[in-house]
Amino acid sequence: MKIAVINEISAADRNADILRALEGRGHEILNLGNTGGNDSPALLYTHTGLMSALLLHLHAVDFVVGGCGTGIGYLNSVMQYPGVFCAHLLTPLDAFLFARINAGNCISLALNQGYGWAGDVNLRLIFDALFTPETGTGYPPHRAEPQRQGRETLAQISCATHRPMAKILPALPAGMSHVALSYPRFRPLLEDAIEAVSDPALSTAIKSALKTLP
Amino acid sequence: MKIAVINEISAADRNADILRALEGRGHEILNLGNTGGNDSPALLYTHTGLMSALLLHLHAVDFVVGGCGTGIGYLNSVMQYPGVFCAHLLTPLDAFLFARINAGNCISLALNQGYGWAGDVNLRLIFDALFTPETGTGYPPHRAEPQRQGRETLAQISCATHRPMAKILPALPAGMSHVALSYPRFRPLLEDAIEAVSDPALSTAIKSALKTLP
Amino acid sequence: MKIAVINEISAADRNADILRALEGRGHEILNLGNTGGNDSPALLYTHTGLMSALLLHLHAVDFVVGGCGTGIGYLNSVMQYPGVFCAHLLTPLDAFLFARINAGNCISLALNQGYGWAGDVNLRLIFDALFTPETGTGYPPHRAEPQRQGRETLAQISCATHRPMAKILPALPAGMSHVALSYPRFRPLLEDAIEAVSDPALSTAIKSALKTLP
Amino acid sequence: MKIAVINEISAADRNADILRALEGRGHEILNLGNTGGNDSPALLYTHTGLMSALLLHLHAVDFVVGGCGTGIGYLNSVMQYPGVFCAHLLTPLDAFLFARINAGNCISLALNQGYGWAGDVNLRLIFDALFTPETGTGYPPHRAEPQRQGRETLAQISCATHRPMAKILPALPAGMSHVALSYPRFRPLLEDAIEAVSDPALSTAIKSALKTLP
């Protein structure tokens, strides 16, 4: 699985902990956001939310690990976009249930609130429970079918309520999207991905957006 | 403040706990979802998410208290709609921070997972911290201004990424929206609210939707 | 390893969850307390604390899994006795750290407070982290030696502050100790254990106590 | 109420947070342990446990707020002594229940694990729930009487299982007790308290111990 890790600035000092906790699982990890508290430009949760959604829509990654100080800002930001299904995970049990019941493509971690000593160990235990072949199998198992239907309805709702990404991109506040799209660790990936993308409207929209960057 | 409480079926037995925990705060409480495990029709998180969003868009309430077994299903459902800013709250500290930093209009409670003995007391402690005159004042206080800007940008993003509610309503899976709109405790409120609503397109869309109900 | 599970009455309905969560680990499990909410006689945390301490002193088991509604009552009860080192474990991280740092012989689980849906899964995740070959290796690893010294000093303190078990037994409130010692699932084990025990004073004290039972 | 705050070295940097969170409640606060990570001598949980127990036995304070990195080390240390009833408190709900059900005289806080951003706010919310006129009134209220009996039996057990403090003191590992008794913020209080203490054996034991200090 290809997993993007995207930190905003307030919790960028946890970036190394996240990377270490993801090691040794056989996943390809793309580290695309801030990697330390002094990184420049500083990304806010509004930026990391857009970056995350674009990566998912471009099929550049299968899963995004994000977060912020409490986890709630990034959650609200990334959930503004279509096709994003995200949990706020604090414990391994949260991860166990999210994998089986919701089987989403994104998580938001609380990286300052409640993140103390051995917070890195907790991340590892969370990822142990999250990345499982049991994804989408339901919990408890006999509820698998209604839970699958719930996810399907949710995906339909997401299509109905959102504009397509190709229309979203030019409508976003330009100051915000410029920072996100031009972020040095992110931009090359975006440029590669648009060549391969199967949605020509989105490809065109991203190309247009890239042209307007300073 | 007018607060809607909307439970889906899996956690409907917690409805009485929520109502009691909201008592004595001077708020007007509208109890619009399932109120017990045997309620019929049974509402799912997809239904309660739509109901919540409509209430906020119609200005029928100022705030929605929802949830589900883990809190993640309802969170993902209600966050599909424009103008909804929602937290997953497990502790009083979560509530304290959400009020000050995110100042959203919706919360999603975990009403089965981790909800054991004295869960009702925890709800009361959460509401003590959540409903505060400090809402939106920032935490820590010197971060008030960037946090306010974050909320403003988020609201602009929500407009850019979503269709307007008037267009969303007819595009939703009909089976789902029928259950939500025709729910007996909810429908009368909806019918009253559309008379008063300032958005004529939304009013028309709801009237059309109501006409198609069985 | 031989592990005793000892539930008091208020959380006896969790007993089956604990047993299942302990399965498949290669440990011998002795289930010695209440096993359901209607069990008679009902054991209180004062009883289960004494039973736990006796089992450890008789070397009848290596480890005791106990608890109560919040975990705090049993913790305070079992910690009254010498040679008992007990944690209050709520999450897998708690278990991970307790194993490495404190390496105690007893845990107290919160079996009503916060014990909701999937509480049984959380128990399993806790035991996954608790029963590890890393027990006593320190966390972080470079702190192994001072942490080992801390445990050693603590064991010396426990000897200095407590009477020996042989003197404790006759000094306990008789009404309390009678219920504990005569509990049907526990008494046969006690009678077997005193034959094998290497501490003749304790053996004599238990025999005397058993004689006074109704 | 007179409340002692006693930090060991690993979490001494939280000392200021604890003091601030205790402000404005009308309690007299005695700050007797390490107050910063560079304090010398460094106190370990074995030291702070003894100091806490002595203060309670001398009636020098009514309540002790202690803790360590995870809360489990100090808990195990202070619980070695007679007459100490201590909880591991992580959330306001824990505090609410401990006050009503267990009504102990000591708490152990987790001051590194899980102690992140806004941990100071969590302390304040915990103390809000802990220091209440409802102490000992039972939860739920109809369980007040059996819970009171539980506390009474526990106090009797504590007497039966422990040596008296006057005998404990000379039996403790001397290296450990010397550090505790001679700690500069603590020793003057101890010297004052022994003049007033109603237990002449304990007074004598402390005087003897003080004489042996380097």
Side-chain angles (χ1 to χ4, degrees):
Chain A
M1 191 155 71
K2 282 175 94 164
I3 301 173
V5 175
I6 312 188
N7 282 108
E8 38 102 85
I9 194 71
S10 80
D13 288 336
R14 311 308 187 191
N15 181 252
D17 284 356
I18 297 174
L19 295 183
R20 263 194 305 270
L22 285 168
E23 275 173 12
R25 300 172 190 277
H27 299 305
E28 183 181 347
I29 308 298
L30 306 176
N31 191 25
L32 304 176
N34 286 150
T35 60
N38 296 320
D39 251 24
S40 175
L43 298 171
L44 307 179
Y45 64 71
T46 44
H47 305 125
T48 55
L50 170 59
M51 292 157 75
S52 304
L54 276 172
L55 289 168
L56 291 169
H57 276 270
L58 293 167
H59 303 287
V61 300
D62 305 295
F63 200 91
V64 182
V65 173
C68 58
T70 64
I72 298 302
Y74 173 76
L75 180 84
N76 273 266
S77 167
V78 78
M79 289 289 303
Q80 296 306 321
Y81 299 90
V84 180
F85 306 102
C86 183
H88 178 230
L89 298 188
L90 304 177
T91 67
L93 182 59
D94 294 344
F96 177 99
L97 294 171
F98 178 62
R100 280 157 185 77
I101 300 172
N102 310 94
N105 50 15
C106 188
I107 61 167
S108 182
L109 298 166
L111 293 167
N112 289 327
Q113 185 199 355
Y115 195 97
W117 186 66
D120 54 336
V121 176
N122 198 39
L123 288 183
R124 189 151 48 78
L125 296 170
I126 284 174
F127 293 145
D128 286 350
L130 180 65
F131 297 117
T132 164
E134 304 285 316
T135 298
T137 55
Y139 184 84
H142 75 269
R143 296 279 302 153
E145 180 49 25
Q147 289 171 357
R148 191 198 58 72
Q149 286 172 20
R151 294 194 299 271
E152 196 177 290
T153 307
L154 194 61
Q156 291 168 2
I157 293 170
S158 191
C159 279
T161 59
H162 291 90
R163 296 199 173 95
M165 279 302 280
K167 298 215 166 159
I168 286 172
L169 209 51
L172 289 170
M176 185 280 288
S177 59
H178 279 187
V179 172
L181 299 181
S182 63
Y183 187 69
R185 276 187 204 90
F186 180 73
R187 186 173 178 164
L189 191 90
L190 193 63
E191 289 173 340
D192 284 358
I194 54 178
E195 297 307 317
V197 71
S198 57
D199 173 351
L202 179 53
S203 182
T204 305
I206 295 174
K207 282 177 189 163
S208 300
L210 288 173
K211 274 186 204 143
T212 68
L213 294 186
Chain B
M1 189 155 72
K2 283 175 95 165
I3 301 172
V5 175
I6 311 189
N7 283 108
E8 38 102 86
I9 195 69
S10 81
D13 288 336
R14 311 307 187 192
N15 181 253
D17 283 359
I18 297 173
L19 295 183
R20 261 195 305 271
L22 285 169
E23 275 173 12
R25 300 173 191 277
H27 298 305
E28 184 181 346
I29 309 299
L30 305 175
N31 191 26
L32 303 176
N34 286 152
T35 61
N38 296 318
D39 251 24
S40 175
L43 298 171
L44 306 178
Y45 64 69
T46 45
H47 305 125
T48 54
L50 170 58
M51 292 158 75
S52 304
L54 276 172
L55 289 169
L56 290 170
H57 276 270
L58 292 167
H59 302 289
V61 301
D62 305 295
F63 201 92
V64 182
V65 173
C68 59
T70 63
I72 299 302
Y74 172 76
L75 181 83
N76 274 266
S77 167
V78 77
M79 288 290 301
Q80 297 305 322
Y81 299 91
V84 180
F85 306 102
C86 184
H88 179 229
L89 298 188
L90 304 177
T91 66
L93 182 60
D94 294 343
F96 177 98
L97 294 171
F98 178 61
R100 278 159 185 77
I101 298 171
N102 311 93
N105 50 15
C106 188
I107 61 168
S108 183
L109 298 166
L111 293 166
N112 290 326
Q113 184 199 355
Y115 194 98
W117 187 66
D120 55 334
V121 175
N122 198 39
L123 288 183
R124 188 151 50 77
L125 296 170
I126 284 174
F127 293 144
D128 286 350
L130 180 64
F131 297 117
T132 164
E134 304 285 315
T135 298
T137 55
Y139 183 84
H142 75 270
R143 297 279 301 153
E145 180 49 23
Q147 289 171 355
R148 193 197 58 71
Q149 286 172 19
R151 293 193 300 271
E152 197 176 290
T153 307
L154 193 62
Q156 291 168 2
I157 293 170
S158 191
C159 278
T161 59
H162 290 91
R163 296 198 173 96
M165 280 301 281
K167 297 214 167 163
I168 286 172
L169 209 51
L172 290 169
M176 185 281 286
S177 60
H178 280 187
V179 172
L181 299 180
S182 64
Y183 188 68
R185 274 187 205 91
F186 180 72
R187 185 172 179 166
L189 193 90
L190 194 62
E191 289 173 338
D192 283 0
I194 53 178
E195 298 306 318
V197 72
S198 57
D199 172 352
L202 178 54
S203 181
T204 303
I206 295 175
K207 281 178 189 164
S208 300
L210 288 173
K211 274 187 203 141
T212 69
L213 295 185
Chain C
M1 191 155 71
K2 281 175 96 165
I3 301 173
V5 176
I6 311 189
N7 283 108
E8 38 103 83
I9 195 69
S10 81
D13 287 336
R14 311 308 187 191
N15 182 253
D17 284 359
I18 297 173
L19 295 183
R20 262 195 306 272
L22 285 169
E23 275 173 13
R25 300 173 189 276
H27 299 305
E28 183 181 347
I29 309 298
L30 305 176
N31 191 25
L32 303 176
N34 286 151
T35 61
N38 296 319
D39 251 24
S40 175
L43 298 171
L44 306 179
Y45 63 71
T46 43
H47 305 126
T48 54
L50 169 59
M51 293 158 73
S52 304
L54 276 173
L55 290 168
L56 290 170
H57 277 269
L58 292 167
H59 302 288
V61 300
D62 304 297
F63 200 91
V64 183
V65 173
C68 58
T70 63
I72 299 302
Y74 172 77
L75 180 83
N76 274 265
S77 167
V78 77
M79 289 289 301
Q80 296 306 321
Y81 298 91
V84 180
F85 305 102
C86 183
H88 178 230
L89 299 188
L90 303 176
T91 67
L93 182 59
D94 294 343
F96 177 98
L97 294 171
F98 177 62
R100 280 159 184 75
I101 300 172
N102 310 93
N105 50 14
C106 187
I107 61 167
S108 182
L109 298 166
L111 293 166
N112 290 326
Q113 185 199 354
Y115 194 98
W117 186 67
D120 54 336
V121 176
N122 198 40
L123 289 183
R124 189 150 50 77
L125 297 169
I126 284 174
F127 293 144
D128 286 351
L130 180 64
F131 297 117
T132 164
E134 304 285 317
T135 297
T137 55
Y139 183 84
H142 75 269
R143 296 278 302 153
E145 180 48 24
Q147 290 170 356
R148 192 197 58 70
Q149 287 172 19
R151 293 194 300 271
E152 196 175 290
T153 307
L154 194 61
Q156 292 168 1
I157 293 171
S158 192
C159 279
T161 59
H162 291 90
R163 297 200 172 94
M165 279 301 280
K167 298 215 168 161
I168 286 173
L169 209 53
L172 290 169
M176 185 281 286
S177 60
H178 280 188
V179 172
L181 299 181
S182 64
Y183 188 69
R185 276 188 204 89
F186 180 73
R187 186 173 177 163
L189 193 90
L190 193 62
E191 289 172 340
D192 284 359
I194 52 178
E195 298 306 318
V197 72
S198 56
D199 173 352
L202 179 54
S203 182
T204 304
I206 295 174
K207 280 178 191 165
S208 301
L210 288 173
K211 274 186 204 143
T212 69
L213 294 185
Chain D
M1 190 155 72
K2 281 175 97 164
I3 301 173
V5 176
I6 311 189
N7 283 108
E8 38 102 85
I9 195 70
S10 81
D13 288 336
R14 311 309 186 190
N15 181 253
D17 284 358
I18 297 174
L19 295 183
R20 262 195 305 272
L22 284 169
E23 276 173 11
R25 300 172 190 277
H27 299 305
E28 184 181 347
I29 309 299
L30 305 176
N31 191 26
L32 303 176
N34 286 151
T35 61
N38 296 320
D39 251 25
S40 175
L43 297 171
L44 307 179
Y45 64 70
T46 44
H47 305 125
T48 54
L50 170 58
M51 293 158 75
S52 303
L54 276 173
L55 289 168
L56 291 170
H57 277 269
L58 293 167
H59 303 288
V61 300
D62 305 295
F63 200 92
V64 182
V65 173
C68 59
T70 64
I72 298 302
Y74 171 76
L75 181 82
N76 273 266
S77 167
V78 77
M79 288 290 302
Q80 297 304 323
Y81 298 91
V84 180
F85 305 102
C86 182
H88 179 229
L89 299 188
L90 304 176
T91 67
L93 182 59
D94 294 343
F96 177 98
L97 293 171
F98 178 62
R100 279 159 186 77
I101 299 172
N102 310 93
N105 50 16
C106 188
I107 61 168
S108 181
L109 298 166
L111 293 166
N112 289 327
Q113 184 199 357
Y115 195 99
W117 186 66
D120 55 334
V121 175
N122 198 40
L123 288 183
R124 189 151 49 77
L125 296 170
I126 284 175
F127 293 145
D128 287 350
L130 179 64
F131 297 118
T132 164
E134 304 285 316
T135 297
T137 56
Y139 183 83
H142 75 270
R143 296 278 302 152
E145 180 48 24
Q147 289 170 356
R148 191 197 58 71
Q149 286 172 20
R151 295 194 299 272
E152 198 176 288
T153 307
L154 194 62
Q156 291 168 1
I157 293 171
S158 191
C159 279
T161 58
H162 291 90
R163 296 199 173 95
M165 282 299 282
K167 299 214 168 161
I168 287 173
L169 209 51
L172 290 169
M176 185 281 288
S177 60
H178 280 187
V179 172
L181 298 180
S182 64
Y183 188 69
R185 275 188 204 89
F186 180 72
R187 185 172 179 165
L189 192 89
L190 193 62
E191 289 173 338
D192 284 358
I194 52 177
E195 298 306 318
V197 72
S198 56
D199 173 351
L202 179 54
S203 182
T204 304
I206 296 174
K207 281 178 190 163
S208 301
L210 288 174
K211 275 186 203 142
T212 69
L213 295 185

